[in-house]
Each structure stands twice: as C-alpha cells, then as structure tokens.
C-alpha cells in the first residue's frame, strides 16, 4: 500500500476499525476514507454502490459488523445474521464492481465448530456443528470468508480474510447486556469498587477458556496482512494463549482493585468450552502479538477511566 493510497476503513468507529485507523495514521497513510453509519448505511445496497463509485477506494478494511457478547448474539439472532450478511455482501460486491485492489475481511473465532480440536487450525472450518448461542453471527462470518474466496476464484479479486480471537481495547462496548466478558468485568468490578459492593456477579461457571488479543495488536496484524499476504486461505490472529473465565475475572478484579467476592450466576450460558486459536500460520508469516494480557488489562482499565462518560451512558 502506497502512503497516498485511498484506503476505506468500514466500521471506523468500532473497536477494530478505530484501532486500524490509529495504526494507519501512525504509519503515515494520509488518504483514509471513513463514513459514520448515519452518513452511509452499509445495509443499503444502492447507497454502498454509489459510495464506492464516488470514492473509488483502492484498499478496503472490512471491519464493519453488528457485534456483541453471548447474550446479545443469542437474543438478536435475526439482526446478527441479516445485518452482517448484507453488510459483507454490499461491500464485497461494490469493491469488485469498482476495481478495489485489495480487501481484508474480518471474521471471528466463533466460525469454528463448537467441539473442534484445540488449538483451532484454519482447516477446521466447516467440519462440525457451531455453538448455538452465536450460530447466526458465525454463519454470516463464514459467508464473508466464502464471498472472499468465491470472488477470488471467479473474478481474480485479491480479497483476504483474517479471523481474530476475542478482542479488547479502546472503544469497546461496555453495555452490560450487549458486551463481551472482558469489558463487562472491567465495568462491573469498577462500579462495585466505587459503590463499596460486597460482591460482583459473573456469568456461567467460570470454567470456559478464552483467548484475548488487544485491538492494537489486531490492527498491527491487519496492516501486516494487507501488505504481506495474498493467499486464499484465511488467517487466524491471536496470542495462542488462553485463560479460564475465572482466571480472567481474578485478573480484572486485581487490576481494578476490587476487594469483594465473585458470585457465579450459573443461570447464564457458558457458551463454547474453549476456542484457542492455532496461530502458527501468522507466526510463520512473521507476525506475533506484543501486548500480554496483564499489561493489556491495565492499559484498558486506564482507557475506561479516561472515557467512562463516553463508554457508560
Ligand atoms: P463468547 O466468547 O462468544 O462466549 O462471548 P462472551 O465474551 O460474551 O462470554 C465469554 C464467557 O464469559 C461466557 O462463558 C460467559 O458466560 C462468561 N461471562 C462471565 N461474566 C460475563 C459477563 O458479565 N458478560 C459476558 N458477556 N460474559 C460473561
């Protein structure tokens, strides 16, 4: 990518898109194209086609998606399927029509079968049944991978896909009903500390294992892949290390400085027992994460404190 290239970041206000924008700006890319959802509704086929015709981006980071934690995914099943399918389809078709040079599509580790062997190798896609709580989101993300593969095979488009593990960082969603576990725990422990509550409620049994990658590391990997990688097979992005939800909760509790107890609400779902990424492929390409979980949690708690009014409405 030339520093003057016209680069469209779809979803630039989200945690992933905003991290990609910070990374590109830091690297000296000067021609970034961005639209808020009120300026451009990515679910509107005609609006997306017109936008690509007018702006003619050369590179596209497809980080726009409807995302959420285990509860939101399970409740808003139609929206998670429809919104994500149509956003991907509109952007990928418009990119093809207007001759975009390269596109990076972002998926998720939930595309893998619920009971796939661990760690998750890219080859395990479509070898078994999905986790029911986020099946609609996963089906949409699998469709996105398949769109990139099909446009490559039929039209010769250089569209690549990256599958990040669970992410955290600036501009995360801190809404307790909609968020993922890590931001939820930061907020819950922080509020419990401020209000002198004796305990904090944590969902499930605490035994599921999850891997966490800082959004800045993901952005670094995305720019790396955009510059270095041109193959059909999608690439996992993670740290290759996971912790139990109980270990995560203890670590967040410690970073926030809450001194009360954890109460496990086992009426809430555990979800997939484990989803640890096999990151050999990206390691072999020459990329590795930089932020370890403890440092990332400390950085993220500081960011939460600085932006609490924005994050908690
Ligand atoms: P998942 O990775 O798709 O399952 O999504 P989440 O990040 O929402 O949940 C991960 C795990 O953390 C699940 O086992 C949840 O039950 C558990 N968990 C514990 N406390 C919370 C919480 O306050 N919010 C969320 N979203 N998950 C929690």
């Amino acid at each position: 990518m030339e520093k003057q290239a016209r680069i469209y970041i779809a979803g630039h206000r989200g945690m992933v898109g905003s991290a990609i924008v910070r990374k590109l700006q830091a690297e000296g890319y000067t021609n970034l194209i961005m639209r808020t959802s009120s300026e451009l509704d990515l679910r509107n086929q005609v609006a997306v086609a017109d936008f690509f015709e007018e702006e003619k981006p050369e590179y596209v980071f497809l980080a726009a998606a409807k995302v959420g934690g285990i509860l939101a995914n399970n409740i808003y099943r139609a929206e998670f399927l429809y919104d994500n399918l149509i956003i991907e389809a509109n952007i990928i078709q418009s990119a093809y029509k207007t001759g975009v040079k390269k596109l990076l599509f972002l998926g998720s580790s939930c595309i893998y079968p619920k009971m796939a062997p661990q760690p998750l190798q890219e080859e395990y896609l479509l070898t078994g049944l999905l986790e029911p709580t986020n099946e609609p989101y996963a089906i949409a993300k699998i469709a996105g991978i398949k769109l990139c593969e099909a446009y490559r095979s039929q039209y010769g488009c250089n569209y690549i896909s990256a599958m990040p593990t669970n992410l955290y960082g600036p501009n995360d969603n801190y809404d307790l009903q909609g968020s993922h576990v890590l931001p939820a725990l930061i907020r819950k422990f922080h509020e419990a500390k401020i209000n002198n509550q004796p305990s904090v409620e944590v969902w499930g049994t605490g035994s599921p294992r999850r891997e966490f990658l800082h959004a800045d590391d993901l952005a670094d990997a995305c720019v790396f892949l955009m510059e270095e990688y041109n193959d059909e097979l999608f690439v996992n992005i993670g740290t290759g290390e996971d912790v139990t939800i109980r270990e995560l909760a203890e670590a967040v509790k410690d970073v926030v400085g809450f001194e009360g107890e954890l109460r496990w609400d086992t009426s809430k779902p555990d979800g997939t027992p484990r989803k640890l990424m096999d990151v050999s492929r990206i390691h072999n390409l020459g990329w590795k994460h930089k932020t370890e979980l403890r440092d990332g949690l400390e950085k993220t708690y500081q960011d939460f404190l600085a932006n609490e009014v924005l994050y908690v409405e």
Side-chain angles (χ1 to χ4, degrees), residues 6-311:
R6 300 174 62 71
I7 306 171
Y8 171 46
I9 302 94
H12 74 281
R13 281 197 167 165
M15 176 170 60
V16 172
S18 62
I20 293 173
V21 169
R22 285 195 301 277
K23 175 71 187 168
L24 290 170
Q25 285 171 339
E27 299 254 311
Y29 292 95
T30 51
N31 215 342
L32 307 187
I33 304 166
M34 297 170 254
R35 290 289 185 281
T36 62
S37 53
S38 52
E39 290 164 346
L40 173 63
D41 181 351
L42 293 170
R43 294 165 301 185
N44 181 329
Q45 188 179 27
V46 174
V48 174
D50 288 349
F51 162 75
F52 271 79
E53 282 295 345
E54 277 160 29
E55 290 293 337
K56 294 256 173 6
E58 299 171 77
Y59 297 89
V60 175
F61 288 89
L62 207 179
K66 181 170 183 66
V67 296
I70 193 163
L71 213 61
N73 266 277
N74 201 19
I75 295 171
Y76 304 107
R77 296 177 72 87
E79 285 175 50
F80 274 84
L81 184 53
Y82 176 81
D83 286 7
N84 287 307
L85 280 175
I86 197 152
I87 289 170
E88 294 155 18
N90 285 344
I91 292 180
I92 290 172
Q93 169 72 2
S94 294
Y96 159 59
K97 285 284 180 195
T98 57
V100 164
K101 286 185 191 159
K102 189 163 179 181
L103 176 146
L104 170 70
F105 170 70
L106 279 148
S108 153
S109 60
C110 68
I111 57 155
Y112 288 109
K114 175 170 184 166
M115 293 308 175
Q118 308 281 324
L120 298 160
Q121 294 179 11
E122 286 86 350
E123 289 75 13
Y124 299 159
L125 181 69
L126 293 175
T127 56
L129 296 175
L130 298 164
E131 153 63 28
T133 52
N134 57 24
E135 189 192 71
Y137 179 76
I139 291 279
K141 288 294 178 185
I142 294 170
I145 297 172
K146 293 295 165 190
L147 279 168
C148 290
E149 290 176 7
Y151 278 66
R152 173 183 292 273
S153 122
Q154 185 176 346
Y155 304 131
C157 299
N158 190 6
Y159 297 169
I160 60 172
S161 301
M163 296 306 122
T165 188
N166 300 49
L167 301 167
Y168 66 100
N171 300 319
D172 205 344
N173 173 5
Y174 284 90
D175 166 61
L176 293 180
Q177 296 306 307
S179 72
H180 282 102
V181 59
L182 194 152
L185 293 183
I186 288 184
R187 176 169 172 186
K188 284 186 189 177
F189 284 119
H190 172 72
E191 289 178 353
K193 181 178 87 171
I194 300 298
N195 300 322
N196 285 316
Q197 288 163 13
S199 64
V200 161
E201 197 172 87
V202 191
W203 299 352
T205 61
S207 62
R209 303 185 70 89
R210 293 289 184 273
E211 175 186 3
F212 298 95
L213 179 73
H214 194 277
D216 287 340
D217 280 343
L218 173 67
D220 189 52
C222 289
V223 174
F224 171 82
L225 290 174
M226 198 58 130
E227 283 167 348
E228 306 288 336
Y229 188 76
N230 298 301
D231 288 343
E232 174 177 285
L233 192 60
F234 62 89
V235 184
N236 287 342
I237 308 180
T239 62
E241 295 150 23
D242 64 359
V243 293
T244 64
I245 296 299
R246 184 179 297 275
E247 287 164 344
L248 174 75
E250 293 292 348
V252 175
K253 179 181 156 177
D254 202 43
V255 165
V256 170
F258 171 68
E259 288 176 353
E261 287 179 2
L262 306 184
R263 281 210 339 261
W264 295 91
D265 175 3
T266 50
S267 71
K268 294 284 197 311
D270 268 345
T272 302
R274 192 176 191 195
K275 42 180 172 177
L276 176 65
M277 292 290 212
D278 184 321
V279 286
S280 329
R281 181 180 297 271
I282 193 148
H283 282 180
N284 291 338
L285 290 168
W287 183 89
K288 193 176 182 297
H289 73 283
K290 296 191 186 80
T291 315
E292 296 306 333
L293 182 58
R294 179 70 192 208
D295 294 343
L297 285 177
E298 279 166 10
K299 224 162 89 170
T300 304
Y301 184 45
Q302 291 312 314
D303 172 72
F304 173 82
L305 291 175
N307 295 291
E308 196 179 345
V309 277
L310 283 177
Y311 293 160

